[in-house]
Coordinates of all heavy atoms in Angstrom, one line a residue:
M74 N 0.8 -1.2 0.0 CA 0.0 0.0 0.0 C 0.9 1.3 0.0 O 1.9 1.3 0.7 CB -0.9 0.0 1.3 CG -1.9 -1.1 1.4 SD -3.0 -1.2 0.1 CE -2.6 -2.8 -0.5
G75 N 0.4 2.3 -0.7 CA 1.1 3.5 -0.8 C 0.9 4.4 0.4 O -0.2 4.2 1.0
R76 N 1.8 5.2 0.7 CA 1.6 6.1 1.8 C 1.8 7.6 1.3 O 2.5 7.7 0.3 CB 2.7 5.9 2.9 CG 2.5 4.7 3.8 CD 3.5 4.7 5.0 NE 3.1 3.5 5.7 CZ 3.4 3.4 7.0 NH1 4.0 4.3 7.7 NH2 3.2 2.2 7.6
Y77 N 1.0 8.5 1.9 CA 1.1 9.8 1.4 C 0.8 10.8 2.5 O 0.4 10.3 3.6 CB 0.1 10.0 0.2 CG -1.4 9.9 0.6 CD1 -2.2 11.0 1.0 CD2 -2.0 8.6 0.6 CE1 -3.5 10.8 1.4 CE2 -3.3 8.4 0.9 CZ -4.1 9.5 1.3 OH -5.4 9.4 1.7
H78 N 1.1 12.1 2.3 CA 0.9 13.0 3.4 C -0.1 14.1 3.0 O -0.2 14.5 1.9 CB 2.3 13.7 3.7 CG 3.3 12.8 4.2 ND1 4.1 12.1 3.4 CD2 3.6 12.3 5.4 CE1 4.9 11.4 4.0 NE2 4.6 11.5 5.2
V79 N -0.8 14.7 4.1 CA -1.7 15.7 3.9 C -1.5 16.8 5.0 O -1.3 16.4 6.2 CB -3.2 15.3 4.1 CG1 -4.2 16.3 4.0 CG2 -3.5 14.2 2.9
E80 N -1.3 18.0 4.6 CA -1.2 19.0 5.5 C -2.4 19.4 6.3 O -3.5 19.5 5.7 CB -0.6 20.3 4.9 CG -0.5 21.5 5.9 CD 0.1 22.8 5.3 OE1 0.4 22.8 4.0 OE2 0.1 23.7 6.0
L81 N -2.4 19.4 7.6 CA -3.7 19.9 8.4 C -3.2 21.3 8.9 O -2.4 21.3 9.8 CB -3.9 18.9 9.5 CG -4.3 17.5 9.1 CD1 -4.5 16.7 10.4 CD2 -5.5 17.5 8.2
P82 N -3.7 22.3 8.4 CA -3.3 23.6 8.8 C -3.5 23.9 10.3 O -4.5 23.5 10.9 CB -4.2 24.6 8.0 CG -4.6 23.7 6.7 CD -4.8 22.4 7.3
G83 N -2.5 24.5 10.8 CA -2.5 24.7 12.2 C -3.5 25.8 12.7 O -3.8 26.0 13.9
R84 N -4.2 26.5 11.8 CA -5.2 27.4 12.1 C -6.5 26.7 12.5 O -7.4 27.3 13.1 CB -5.4 28.4 11.0 CG -6.1 27.9 9.8 CD -6.3 28.9 8.7 NE -7.0 28.3 7.6 CZ -6.4 27.6 6.6 NH1 -5.1 27.5 6.7 NH2 -7.0 26.9 5.5
L85 N -6.7 25.4 12.2 CA -7.9 24.6 12.3 C -8.0 24.3 13.9 O -6.9 24.0 14.6 CB -7.9 23.4 11.5 CG -7.8 23.6 10.0 CD1 -7.8 22.3 9.3 CD2 -9.0 24.5 9.5
S86 N -9.2 24.1 14.3 CA -9.5 23.6 15.6 C -9.3 22.0 15.5 O -9.2 21.4 14.6 CB -11.0 23.8 16.0 OG -11.8 23.1 15.2
L87 N -9.3 21.4 16.8 CA -9.2 20.0 16.9 C -10.3 19.3 16.1 O -10.2 18.2 15.5 CB -9.1 19.4 18.3 CG -7.8 19.8 19.0 CD1 -8.0 19.3 20.4 CD2 -6.7 19.1 18.4
A88 N -11.6 19.9 16.3 CA -12.7 19.3 15.6 C -12.6 19.4 14.1 O -12.9 18.3 13.4 CB -13.9 20.0 16.0
E89 N -12.1 20.4 13.5 CA -11.9 20.6 12.2 C -10.8 19.7 11.6 O -10.9 19.0 10.5 CB -11.5 22.0 11.8 CG -12.7 23.0 12.0 CD -12.3 24.4 11.9 OE1 -11.2 24.8 12.4 OE2 -13.0 25.2 11.5
Q90 N -9.7 19.5 12.4 CA -8.6 18.6 11.9 C -9.2 17.1 12.1 O -8.8 16.2 11.3 CB -7.5 18.8 12.9 CG -6.7 20.1 12.6 CD -5.4 20.2 13.4 OE1 -4.7 19.3 13.5 NE2 -5.3 21.4 13.9
S91 N -10.0 16.8 13.1 CA -10.6 15.5 13.1 C -11.5 15.2 12.0 O -11.5 14.1 11.3 CB -11.5 15.3 14.4 OG -10.7 15.5 15.6
Q92 N -12.2 16.3 11.4 CA -13.1 16.1 10.3 C -12.2 15.9 9.0 O -12.6 15.0 8.1 CB -14.0 17.3 10.0 CG -15.1 17.4 11.0 CD -15.9 18.6 10.8 OE1 -15.4 19.7 10.4 NE2 -17.2 18.5 11.3
A93 N -11.1 16.6 9.0 CA -10.2 16.3 7.7 C -9.7 14.9 7.8 O -9.5 14.3 6.6 CB -9.1 17.4 7.9
I94 N -9.3 14.4 8.9 CA -8.7 13.0 9.0 C -9.9 12.0 8.5 O -9.7 11.2 7.7 CB -8.3 12.7 10.4 CG1 -7.0 13.5 10.7 CG2 -8.0 11.2 10.5 CD1 -6.6 13.5 12.1
A95 N -11.1 12.3 9.1 CA -12.2 11.4 8.7 C -12.6 11.5 7.2 O -12.8 10.4 6.5 CB -13.4 11.7 9.6
G96 N -12.5 12.6 6.7 CA -12.7 12.8 5.3 C -11.7 12.1 4.4 O -12.1 11.4 3.4
E97 N -10.5 12.2 4.7 CA -9.4 11.4 4.0 C -9.5 9.9 4.2 O -9.3 9.1 3.2 CB -8.0 11.8 4.5 CG -6.8 11.5 3.6 CD -6.9 12.4 2.3 OE1 -7.4 13.5 2.3 OE2 -6.5 11.8 1.3
E98 N -10.0 9.4 5.3 CA -10.2 8.0 5.5 C -11.4 7.4 4.7 O -11.5 6.2 4.5 CB -10.3 7.7 7.0 CG -9.0 7.8 7.8 CD -9.0 7.4 9.2 OE1 -10.1 7.5 9.9 OE2 -7.9 7.1 9.7
T99 N -12.3 8.3 4.4 CA -13.4 7.8 3.5 C -13.0 7.4 2.1 O -13.7 6.8 1.4 CB -14.6 8.9 3.4 OG1 -14.1 10.0 2.8 CG2 -15.1 9.2 4.7
L100 N -11.7 7.9 1.8 CA -11.2 7.6 0.4 C -10.3 6.3 0.5 O -9.4 6.2 -0.3 CB -10.3 8.8 0.0 CG -11.1 10.1 0.0 CD1 -10.1 11.2 -0.4 CD2 -12.2 10.0 -1.1
L101 N -10.6 5.4 1.4 CA -9.9 4.2 1.6 C -8.4 4.4 2.0 O -7.5 3.9 1.4 CB -10.1 3.2 0.4 CG -11.4 2.5 0.2 CD1 -11.4 1.7 -1.0 CD2 -11.7 1.8 1.5
A102 N -8.3 5.1 3.1 CA -7.0 5.3 3.6 C -7.1 5.3 5.1 O -8.2 5.3 5.7 CB -6.4 6.7 3.3
R103 N -6.0 5.0 5.9 CA -6.0 5.1 7.4 C -4.9 5.9 7.8 O -3.9 5.9 7.2 CB -6.0 3.6 7.9 CG -4.7 2.9 7.8 CD -4.7 1.7 8.6 NE -3.4 1.1 8.5 CZ -2.3 1.4 9.3 NH1 -2.4 2.3 10.2 NH2 -1.2 0.8 9.1
L104 N -5.1 6.6 8.9 CA -4.1 7.5 9.4 C -3.0 6.7 10.0 O -3.3 5.7 10.8 CB -4.8 8.4 10.6 CG -3.8 9.3 11.2 CD1 -3.4 10.4 10.3 CD2 -4.4 9.9 12.4
V105 N -1.8 7.1 9.7 CA -0.7 6.3 10.2 C -0.1 7.1 11.4 O 0.3 6.6 12.4 CB 0.4 6.2 9.2 CG1 1.8 5.5 9.8 CG2 -0.1 5.2 8.1
G106 N 0.0 8.5 11.2 CA 0.5 9.3 12.2 C 0.5 10.8 11.9 O 0.1 11.1 10.8
L107 N 0.8 11.6 12.9 CA 0.9 13.1 12.6 C 2.1 13.6 13.3 O 2.7 13.1 14.1 CB -0.3 13.7 13.6 CG -1.8 13.4 13.1 CD1 -2.7 13.6 14.3 CD2 -2.1 14.1 11.9
R108 N 2.6 14.7 12.7 CA 3.8 15.3 13.2 C 3.7 16.8 12.8 O 3.0 17.3 12.0 CB 5.1 14.6 12.6 CG 5.2 14.8 11.2 CD 6.5 14.1 10.8 NE 6.7 14.2 9.3 CZ 6.8 13.3 8.5 NH1 6.6 12.1 8.8 NH2 7.1 13.5 7.1
L109 N 4.6 17.6 13.6 CA 4.7 19.0 13.3 C 5.6 19.1 12.1 O 6.4 18.3 11.8 CB 5.4 19.7 14.4 CG 4.7 19.7 15.8 CD1 5.4 20.4 16.9 CD2 3.2 20.3 15.7
W110 N 5.3 20.2 11.2 CA 6.0 20.3 10.0 C 6.0 21.7 9.7 O 5.0 22.6 10.0 CB 5.1 19.5 9.0 CG 5.6 19.6 7.6 CD1 6.9 19.1 7.1 CD2 4.9 20.1 6.4 NE1 7.0 19.2 5.8 CE2 5.8 19.8 5.3 CE3 3.7 20.6 6.2 CZ2 5.5 20.1 4.0 CZ3 3.4 20.9 5.0 CH2 4.2 20.7 3.8
V111 N 7.0 22.3 9.0 CA 7.2 23.5 8.4 C 6.8 23.5 6.9 O 7.6 22.8 6.2 CB 8.6 24.2 8.7 CG1 8.7 25.6 8.0 CG2 8.9 24.3 10.2
N112 N 5.8 24.2 6.5 CA 5.3 24.1 5.1 C 6.2 25.0 4.2 O 7.1 25.7 4.7 CB 3.9 24.4 5.0 CG 3.5 25.7 5.4 OD1 4.3 26.7 5.4 ND2 2.2 26.0 5.6
A113 N 5.8 25.1 3.0 CA 6.5 25.9 1.9 C 6.5 27.4 2.2 O 7.3 28.1 1.8 CB 5.9 25.6 0.5
D114 N 5.6 27.8 3.1 CA 5.5 29.3 3.4 C 6.1 29.5 4.7 O 6.0 30.6 5.3 CB 4.0 29.7 3.6 CG 3.2 29.6 2.2 OD1 3.8 29.8 1.3 OD2 2.0 29.3 2.3
N115 N 7.0 28.6 5.2 CA 7.7 28.6 6.4 C 6.8 28.8 7.7 O 7.2 29.5 8.6 CB 8.8 29.8 6.4 CG 9.9 29.4 5.4 OD1 10.3 28.3 5.3 ND2 10.3 30.4 4.6
Q116 N 5.7 28.2 7.6 CA 4.7 28.2 8.8 C 4.7 26.9 9.4 O 4.7 25.9 8.8 CB 3.3 28.5 8.3 CG 3.1 29.9 7.7 CD 1.7 30.2 7.1 OE1 1.1 29.2 6.7 NE2 1.3 31.4 7.1
M117 N 4.8 26.9 10.8 CA 4.6 25.7 11.5 C 3.2 25.2 11.4 O 2.2 26.0 11.6 CB 5.1 25.9 13.0 CG 5.0 24.7 13.8 SD 6.2 23.5 13.4 CE 7.5 24.2 14.4
T118 N 3.1 24.0 11.1 CA 1.8 23.3 10.8 C 1.9 21.8 11.2 O 2.7 21.4 11.7 CB 1.3 23.7 9.3 OG1 -0.1 23.2 9.2 CG2 2.2 23.0 8.3
N119 N 0.8 21.1 10.8 CA 0.7 19.6 11.0 C 0.8 18.8 9.7 O 0.2 19.3 8.8 CB -0.6 19.3 11.8 CG -0.7 20.3 13.0 OD1 0.0 20.2 13.9 ND2 -1.8 21.0 12.9
L120 N 1.4 17.7 9.8 CA 1.5 16.9 8.6 C 1.0 15.5 9.0 O 1.4 14.9 10.0 CB 2.9 16.7 8.1 CG 3.0 16.1 6.7 CD1 2.4 17.0 5.7 CD2 4.5 15.9 6.4
A121 N -0.1 15.1 8.3 CA -0.7 13.8 8.6 C -0.3 12.7 7.6 O -0.3 13.1 6.3 CB -2.3 13.9 8.6
E122 N 0.2 11.5 8.0 CA 0.5 10.5 7.1 C -0.6 9.5 7.0 O -1.1 9.0 8.0 CB 1.8 9.9 7.5 CG 2.3 8.8 6.6 CD 3.7 8.1 7.0 OE1 4.2 8.6 8.1 OE2 4.2 7.4 6.3
F123 N -0.9 9.1 5.8 CA -2.0 8.1 5.6 C -1.4 6.9 4.8 O -0.5 7.1 4.0 CB -3.2 8.7 4.8 CG -3.9 9.7 5.6 CD1 -3.6 11.1 5.6 CD2 -5.0 9.4 6.3 CE1 -4.2 12.0 6.2 CE2 -5.7 10.3 7.0 CZ -5.4 11.6 7.0
E124 N -2.0 5.8 4.9 CA -1.7 4.6 4.2 C -3.0 4.2 3.3 O -4.1 4.1 4.0 CB -1.2 3.4 5.1 CG -0.9 2.2 4.3 CD -0.4 1.2 5.3 OE1 -1.1 0.9 6.2 OE2 0.8 0.7 5.0
E125 N -2.8 4.0 2.1 CA -3.9 3.4 1.3 C -4.2 2.0 1.7 O -3.3 1.4 2.0 CB -3.6 3.5 -0.3 CG -3.3 5.0 -0.7 CD -2.7 5.0 -2.0 OE1 -2.0 4.1 -2.4 OE2 -3.0 6.0 -2.8
V126 N -5.5 1.7 1.7 CA -6.0 0.4 1.9 C -6.8 -0.1 0.7 O -7.4 0.7 0.1 CB -6.7 0.3 3.3 CG1 -5.9 0.5 4.5 CG2 -8.0 1.1 3.3
D127 N -6.9 -1.4 0.5 CA -7.6 -1.9 -0.7 C -9.1 -2.1 -0.3 O -9.9 -1.9 -1.2 CB -7.1 -3.2 -1.1 CG -5.7 -3.2 -1.7 OD1 -5.3 -2.2 -2.3 OD2 -5.0 -4.2 -1.6
T128 N -9.5 -2.4 0.9 CA -10.8 -2.6 1.3 C -11.1 -1.9 2.6 O -10.1 -1.6 3.4 CB -11.2 -4.1 1.4 OG1 -10.3 -4.6 2.5 CG2 -11.0 -4.8 0.1
E129 N -12.3 -1.8 3.0 CA -12.8 -1.2 4.2 C -12.2 -2.1 5.4 O -12.3 -3.3 5.3 CB -14.3 -1.2 4.4 CG -15.0 0.0 3.5 CD -14.8 1.3 4.2 OE1 -14.7 1.5 5.4 OE2 -14.7 2.4 3.4
P130 N -11.6 -1.5 6.4 CA -11.2 -2.3 7.5 C -12.3 -3.1 8.2 O -13.4 -2.5 8.4 CB -10.4 -1.3 8.5 CG -10.1 -0.2 7.6 CD -11.2 -0.1 6.6
D131 N -12.0 -4.3 8.6 CA -13.0 -5.1 9.4 C -12.4 -5.5 10.6 O -11.5 -6.4 10.6 CB -13.6 -6.2 8.6 CG -14.6 -6.9 9.2 OD1 -15.3 -6.4 9.9 OD2 -14.8 -8.2 8.9
P132 N -12.8 -5.1 11.8 CA -13.8 -4.1 12.1 C -13.5 -2.7 11.6 O -12.3 -2.4 11.4 CB -14.0 -4.2 13.5 CG -12.7 -4.6 14.1 CD -12.1 -5.4 13.0
P133 N -14.5 -1.8 11.4 CA -14.3 -0.4 11.0 C -13.4 0.3 12.0 O -13.4 -0.1 13.1 CB -15.7 0.2 10.9 CG -16.7 -1.0 10.8 CD -15.9 -2.1 11.6
L134 N -12.6 1.3 11.4 CA -11.7 2.0 12.2 C -12.5 2.8 13.4 O -11.9 3.0 14.4 CB -10.9 2.9 11.3 CG -9.9 2.4 10.4 CD1 -9.3 3.4 9.5 CD2 -8.9 1.6 11.1
G135 N -13.6 3.4 13.0 CA -14.3 4.3 13.9 C -14.0 5.6 13.5 O -13.0 6.0 12.8
T136 N -14.7 6.6 13.9 CA -14.6 8.0 13.6 C -13.5 8.6 14.4 O -13.4 8.5 15.7 CB -15.9 8.8 14.0 OG1 -17.0 8.2 13.3 CG2 -15.8 10.3 13.6
P137 N -12.4 9.2 13.7 CA -11.4 9.7 14.5 C -11.8 11.0 15.3 O -12.5 11.8 14.7 CB -10.3 10.1 13.4 CG -11.1 10.3 12.1 CD -12.3 9.4 12.3
R138 N -11.2 11.2 16.4 CA -11.5 12.4 17.3 C -10.2 12.8 18.0 O -9.5 12.0 18.7 CB -12.5 12.2 18.3 CG -12.9 13.4 19.2 CD -14.2 13.0 20.1 NE -14.1 11.8 20.7 CZ -13.6 11.6 21.9 NH1 -13.0 12.6 22.6 NH2 -13.6 10.4 22.4
L139 N -9.7 14.1 17.8 CA -8.6 14.6 18.4 C -9.0 15.3 19.7 O -10.1 16.0 19.6 CB -7.8 15.6 17.5 CG -7.2 14.9 16.3 CD1 -6.7 16.1 15.3 CD2 -6.0 14.1 16.7
T140 N -8.4 15.0 20.8 CA -8.7 15.6 22.0 C -7.4 15.9 22.9 O -6.4 15.3 22.6 CB -9.7 14.6 22.8 OG1 -10.1 15.2 24.1 CG2 -9.1 13.3 23.1
T141 N -7.6 16.7 23.9 CA -6.5 17.0 24.7 C -6.6 16.2 26.1 O -5.7 16.2 26.9 CB -6.4 18.5 25.1 OG1 -7.6 18.9 25.6 CG2 -6.0 19.2 23.8
T142 N -7.8 15.6 26.3 CA -7.9 14.8 27.5 C -8.6 13.4 27.2 O -9.3 13.3 26.2 CB -8.9 15.4 28.5 OG1 -10.1 15.7 28.0 CG2 -8.3 16.9 29.0
L143 N -8.3 12.5 27.9 CA -8.9 11.2 27.7 C -9.8 10.8 28.8 O -9.7 11.0 29.9 CB -7.8 10.0 27.7 CG -6.7 10.0 26.7 CD1 -5.6 9.0 26.9 CD2 -7.4 9.7 25.3
A144 N -11.0 10.2 28.4 CA -12.0 9.8 29.3 C -11.5 8.5 30.0 O -10.7 7.8 29.4 CB -13.3 9.6 28.6
G145 N -12.1 8.1 31.0 CA -11.6 6.9 31.8 C -11.8 5.7 30.8 O -12.8 5.6 30.2
G146 N -10.7 5.0 30.7 CA -10.7 3.8 29.9 C -10.4 4.0 28.4 O -10.1 3.0 27.6
E147 N -10.3 5.3 28.0 CA -10.0 5.5 26.5 C -8.5 5.2 26.3 O -7.7 5.6 27.1 CB -10.3 6.9 26.1 CG -11.7 7.2 25.7 CD -11.9 8.6 25.2 OE1 -11.3 9.6 25.7 OE2 -12.7 8.7 24.1
V148 N -8.2 4.5 25.1 CA -6.8 4.3 24.8 C -6.6 5.0 23.4 O -7.3 4.7 22.5 CB -6.7 2.8 24.6 CG1 -5.3 2.4 24.1 CG2 -7.0 2.1 25.9
P149 N -5.7 5.9 23.4 CA -5.4 6.6 22.2 C -4.7 5.8 21.2 O -3.9 4.9 21.5 CB -4.5 7.7 22.7 CG -3.7 7.2 23.8 CD -4.7 6.3 24.5
Q150 N -5.0 6.0 19.9 CA -4.2 5.3 18.8 C -3.0 6.1 18.5 O -2.1 5.7 17.7 CB -5.2 5.2 17.6 CG -6.1 4.1 17.8 CD -6.9 3.8 16.5 OE1 -7.0 4.5 15.6 NE2 -7.3 2.5 16.5
W151 N -2.9 7.4 18.9 CA -1.8 8.2 18.5 C -1.8 9.3 19.6 O -2.8 9.8 20.1 CB -2.0 8.9 17.1 CG -0.9 9.9 16.9 CD1 0.4 9.7 16.3 CD2 -1.0 11.3 17.2 NE1 1.1 10.8 16.4 CE2 0.3 11.9 16.8 CE3 -1.9 12.2 17.8 CZ2 0.6 13.2 16.9 CZ3 -1.7 13.5 17.9 CH2 -0.3 14.0 17.5
A152 N -0.6 9.8 20.0 CA -0.4 10.9 20.9 C 0.7 11.7 20.5 O 1.7 11.1 20.1 CB -0.3 10.4 22.4
G153 N 0.7 13.0 20.6 CA 1.8 13.8 20.3 C 1.5 15.4 20.3 O 0.3 15.8 20.5
P154 N 2.4 16.2 19.9 CA 2.1 17.6 19.8 C 1.4 18.0 18.4 O 1.7 17.3 17.4 CB 3.5 18.2 19.8 CG 4.5 17.2 19.3 CD 3.8 15.9 19.7
L155 N 0.6 19.0 18.5 CA 0.1 19.5 17.2 C 0.0 21.0 17.4 O -0.1 21.6 18.5 CB -1.4 19.0 17.0 CG -1.6 17.5 16.5 CD1 -3.0 17.3 16.4 CD2 -0.9 17.4 15.3
I156 N -0.2 21.8 16.2 CA -0.6 23.1 16.3 C -2.0 23.2 16.1 O -2.6 22.7 15.1 CB 0.1 23.9 15.1 CG1 1.6 23.7 15.1 CG2 -0.3 25.4 15.0 CD1 2.3 24.2 16.3
V157 N -2.7 24.0 17.0 CA -4.2 24.0 17.0 C -4.6 25.5 17.1 O -4.2 26.1 18.2 CB -4.8 23.2 18.2 CG1 -6.3 23.2 18.3 CG2 -4.3 21.8 18.2
Q158 N -5.4 26.0 16.3 CA -5.7 27.3 16.2 C -4.7 28.3 16.4 O -4.7 29.2 17.2 CB -7.0 27.6 17.1 CG -8.1 26.8 16.8 CD -9.3 27.0 17.8 OE1 -9.1 27.0 19.0 NE2 -10.5 27.2 17.2
G159 N -3.5 27.9 15.7 CA -2.4 28.9 15.8 C -1.4 28.8 17.1 O -0.5 29.4 17.2
Q160 N -1.7 27.8 17.9 CA -1.0 27.6 19.1 C -0.5 26.2 19.3 O -1.2 25.2 18.8 CB -1.9 27.9 20.3 CG -2.5 29.2 20.4 CD -1.5 30.3 20.7 OE1 -0.6 30.2 21.5 NE2 -1.5 31.4 20.0
A161 N 0.7 26.0 19.8 CA 1.2 24.7 20.0 C 0.6 24.0 21.2 O 0.5 24.7 22.2 CB 2.8 24.9 20.2
V162 N 0.2 22.8 21.0 CA -0.4 22.1 22.1 C 0.5 20.8 22.2 O 0.7 20.1 21.4 CB -1.8 21.6 21.7 CG1 -2.4 20.8 22.8 CG2 -2.7 22.8 21.5
A163 N 1.1 20.8 23.4 CA 2.1 19.7 23.7 C 1.6 18.3 23.6 O 2.3 17.4 23.2 CB 2.7 20.0 25.1
Q164 N 0.2 18.0 24.0 CA -0.2 16.7 24.1 C -1.6 16.6 23.6 O -2.4 17.2 24.1 CB -0.1 16.1 25.5 CG -0.4 14.7 25.7 CD 0.7 13.7 25.0 OE1 1.9 14.3 24.9 NE2 0.4 12.6 24.8
V165 N -1.7 16.0 22.4 CA -3.0 15.8 21.8 C -3.2 14.3 21.6 O -2.2 13.6 21.3 CB -3.2 16.5 20.4 CG1 -4.4 16.1 19.7 CG2 -3.1 18.1 20.7
F166 N -4.5 13.7 21.7 CA -4.6 12.3 21.5 C -5.6 12.1 20.4 O -6.5 12.9 20.2 CB -5.3 11.7 22.8 CG -4.5 11.9 24.0 CD1 -4.7 13.0 24.9 CD2 -3.4 11.1 24.4 CE1 -4.1 13.2 26.1 CE2 -2.7 11.3 25.5 CZ -3.0 12.3 26.4
L167 N -5.3 11.0 19.6 CA -6.4 10.6 18.7 C -7.0 9.3 19.2 O -6.4 8.4 19.5 CB -5.8 10.3 17.3 CG -6.8 9.8 16.3 CD1 -7.1 10.9 15.3 CD2 -6.3 8.5 15.5
V168 N -8.4 9.5 19.3 CA -9.2 8.3 19.7 C -10.2 8.0 18.7 O -10.4 8.9 17.8 CB -9.9 8.5 21.2 CG1 -8.8 8.7 22.3 CG2 -10.8 9.7 21.1
R169 N -10.8 6.8 18.7 CA -11.8 6.4 17.7 C -13.1 6.2 18.4 O -13.2 5.5 19.4 CB -11.3 5.2 17.0 CG -10.0 5.3 16.3 CD -10.1 5.5 14.7 NE -8.9 5.6 14.2 CZ -8.8 6.2 13.0 NH1 -9.9 6.5 12.3 NH2 -7.6 6.2 12.3
D170 N -14.1 6.9 17.9 CA -15.6 6.7 18.3 C -16.2 5.6 17.5 O -16.0 5.7 16.2 CB -16.3 8.0 18.3 CG -15.7 9.1 19.2 OD1 -15.1 8.8 20.3 OD2 -15.9 10.3 19.0
A171 N -17.0 4.8 18.1 CA -17.6 3.7 17.3 C -18.6 4.3 16.4 O -19.2 5.3 16.5 CB -18.3 2.7 18.3

């Protein structure tokens, strides 16, 4: 499977970035990871890495949700820093809602 990257602009909220990830995953891809990145305009932003998949995962991945706090029992699929609404956030978690 091929891997590719998508910029998630740092001006977006966590909800907007979550929607962008969900939208990309509807194209038969799954999120591999996120990292901070300096784009061509020399702006600090976020870079999402996706892996193409041939078929829908079974069981389904669930809806991605970025959050700064975990509810009791939630296990993140990814954790790390992101730029959110123009500000650096040291710890963000990606969880999946059924």
